Amino acid sequence: MKRLEKLQAELVARDLDGFLVNNLTNVYYLTGFSGSNATVFVEPDAVTFFTDSRYTLAAKDVLHPNIRFVETRLELAEVEKLAEDRGLKRVGFEPTVPYHYYQELAGRLSEQKLVAEANLVESLRIIKDESEIAVIQEACKISDQAFIDALDFIKLGKTELEIANFLDFRMRELGASGLSFDSIVASGPNSAMPHAHPGQRKLEAGDTLTLDFGCVFNHYVSDMTRTIYLDHVNDEQAALHQLVLDANQAVIDQAQAGMLLADFDQAARSLIDQAGYGPAFSHSIGHGMGLEVHEVPFFRAGSEDRFQSGMVVTDEPGIYLDGKYGLRIEDDLWIREGGCQVLTKAPKELIII
Ligand SMILES: [Mn+2]
């Protein structure tokens, strides 16, 4: 109920009589329920949970006794009744709902003022408590181990897809319930594409090989990138690897609560700029992660936001040379007062197989 109480305080601060939560990740965060259909209607002094009969038992199992449970497939009809009975005036909703859903909401709550509230629950999720960090740490451990095991599996002649399948299967063997996203395994010239899809290309001597992957463990994710090399490296590959590693480390050295998000990005970018590869670092330094692999905070240009203790963000500088190769090194960082803790621990120095 603590999280719901924080949300209720936010409603009071924003003068909202109710807030409709449709995002299933937010529903899980607030109530502990996970399933494919659920809606929560939060009022400053009451919480109502709606789901259909498939999930009645599962919901009753996890819901706090103070949450009113309603089994229905027509939650907006129930919300309409509630709004009338309780004389609600201002009702918030998540602007990520489908348009047809919004139209039905607007039709049923025509007497109420509807207020689109972006990132209301997400802004609570942005600070992780110790129990959430412990779960994210487990997800990172699984990814670390899968990478270490993959080093024995990766050989000349193996295809990108074979390596992706190995990582995916291994993470599940180690206890993951799923993947954070489709694993990226990009070899040779494909590694110049930051988000290449693994294909039938076979590993060749001299290849750069970028592995970007993560898993879901107890609802929370990991997200890690390592770049390794096949048989040998040329001078440029070795120098680029050191440069990206230095950029990744500069971020780790400087990250702490109170830091501007823009400075976090700049810590890596200034090094890569100085080395003359600025335009080849074509994406932002990272993103928040937790229940979702991409969540607030995001590193938008010109952002004046600052880190707070308890945020978890990725640190993933990369350099991509069209037609040649590219590389990226990514860690997950837990931001604290006075520093940060690196949650991903797999080796990231120059590895040649
Ligand atoms: Mn990432």
Side-chain angles (χ1 to χ4, degrees):
M1 282 299 281
K2 262 213 187 107
R3 294 169 178 176
L4 278 163
E5 283 163 14
K6 275 192 192 162
L7 179 58
Q8 288 172 320
E10 276 298 315
L11 298 194
V12 173
R14 289 161 198 247
D15 195 25
L16 291 173
D17 304 315
F19 182 61
L20 194 61
V21 182
N22 291 93
N23 177 305
L24 289 170
T25 308
N26 289 340
V27 168
Y28 171 76
Y29 180 77
L30 294 171
T31 67
F33 172 84
S34 58
S36 65
N37 173 35
T39 304
V40 183
F41 189 66
V42 183
E43 297 164 79
D45 57 353
V47 181
T48 312
F49 179 98
F50 308 97
T51 190
D52 65 75
S53 58
R54 293 171 301 165
Y55 291 120
T56 300
L57 282 181
K60 287 190 167 169
D61 221 32
V62 296
L63 291 185
H64 189 280
N66 291 351
I67 300 176
R68 194 166 71 94
F69 174 83
V70 179
E71 182 186 296
T72 180
R73 278 192 166 274
L74 296 168
E75 74 275 5
L76 286 181
E78 299 288 332
V79 171
E80 179 183 7
K81 262 190 262 164
L82 244 164
E84 276 170 23
D85 292 351
R86 297 175 61 97
L88 307 186
K89 294 190 176 67
R90 282 168 52 86
V91 173
F93 67 99
E94 296 175 318
T96 46
V97 294
Y99 184 64
H100 63 82
Y101 192 89
Y102 169 76
Q103 283 184 309
E104 186 188 343
L105 177 67
R108 289 185 181 277
L109 271 65
S110 55
E111 301 294 306
Q112 281 74 26
K113 165 88 180 141
L114 289 177
V115 186
E117 287 282 0
N119 291 331
L120 197 49
V121 180
E122 287 82 349
S123 67
L124 302 177
R125 281 168 44 191
I126 200 168
I127 307 296
K128 276 73 181 175
D129 64 28
E130 301 265 339
S131 70
E132 293 178 288
I133 296 292
V135 178
I136 295 171
Q137 258 168 336
E138 284 304 312
C140 290
K141 261 191 208 170
I142 291 172
S143 302
D144 284 341
Q145 189 60 48
F147 172 72
I148 289 163
D149 294 343
L151 294 178
D152 288 330
F153 176 81
I154 293 168
K155 285 188 177 55
L156 292 176
K158 291 255 200 252
T159 67
E160 294 170 341
L161 268 172
E162 284 175 308
I163 296 161
N165 288 340
F166 177 90
L167 284 170
D168 297 355
F169 193 83
R170 190 71 190 120
M171 288 192 287
R172 284 184 185 272
E173 273 185 333
L174 290 164
S177 62
L179 307 176
S180 309
F181 52 90
D182 285 345
S183 297
I184 296 167
V185 175
S187 65
N190 293 340
S191 61
M193 293 180 277
H195 275 193
H197 297 288
Q200 296 293 355
R201 186 181 181 280
K202 291 187 166 123
L203 298 185
E204 296 172 14
D207 272 355
T208 296
L209 177 63
T210 299
L211 311 168
D212 184 353
F213 59 100
C215 69
V216 183
F217 178 79
N218 195 9
H219 301 277
Y220 286 81
V221 303
S222 57
D223 183 7
M224 180 170 93
T225 307
R226 292 293 183 263
T227 300
I228 61 174
Y229 304 86
L230 273 296
D231 190 66
H232 63 271
V233 287
N234 63 32
D235 291 347
E236 185 185 49
Q237 282 170 309
L240 288 182
H241 193 89
Q242 191 58 47
L243 177 58
V244 171
L245 191 57
D246 289 346
N248 165 275
Q249 187 61 44
V251 171
I252 293 168
D253 291 343
Q254 295 176 43
Q256 59 176 297
M259 186 185 202
L260 280 167
L261 298 192
D263 290 344
F264 183 83
D265 184 278
Q266 203 53 37
R269 198 168 300 281
S270 59
L271 282 184
I272 293 174
D273 278 345
Q274 279 162 31
Y277 289 97
F281 178 14
S282 49
H283 52 73
S284 79
I285 185 64
H287 49 85
M289 52 162 265
L291 288 170
E292 288 175 290
V293 72
H294 295 115
E295 59 180 49
V296 286
F298 293 113
F299 296 81
R300 289 169 291 108
S303 160
E304 308 223 321
D305 294 342
R306 287 177 187 276
F307 278 128
Q308 298 169 59
S309 183
M311 289 181 174
V312 174
V313 293
T314 66
D315 162 17
E316 47 181 311
I319 292 177
Y320 310 93
L321 303 181
D322 209 3
K324 286 171 97 176
Y325 37 66
L327 75 158
R328 179 167 64 255
I329 297 173
E330 174 182 27
D331 285 314
D332 301 337
L333 310 186
W334 174 23
I335 305 295
R336 322 277 325 259
E337 295 296 339
C340 75
Q341 193 169 321
V342 184
L343 302 177
T344 38
K345 301 191 185 299
K348 53 188 174 183
E349 71 278 8
L350 186 73
I351 295 173
I352 301 172
I353 290 178

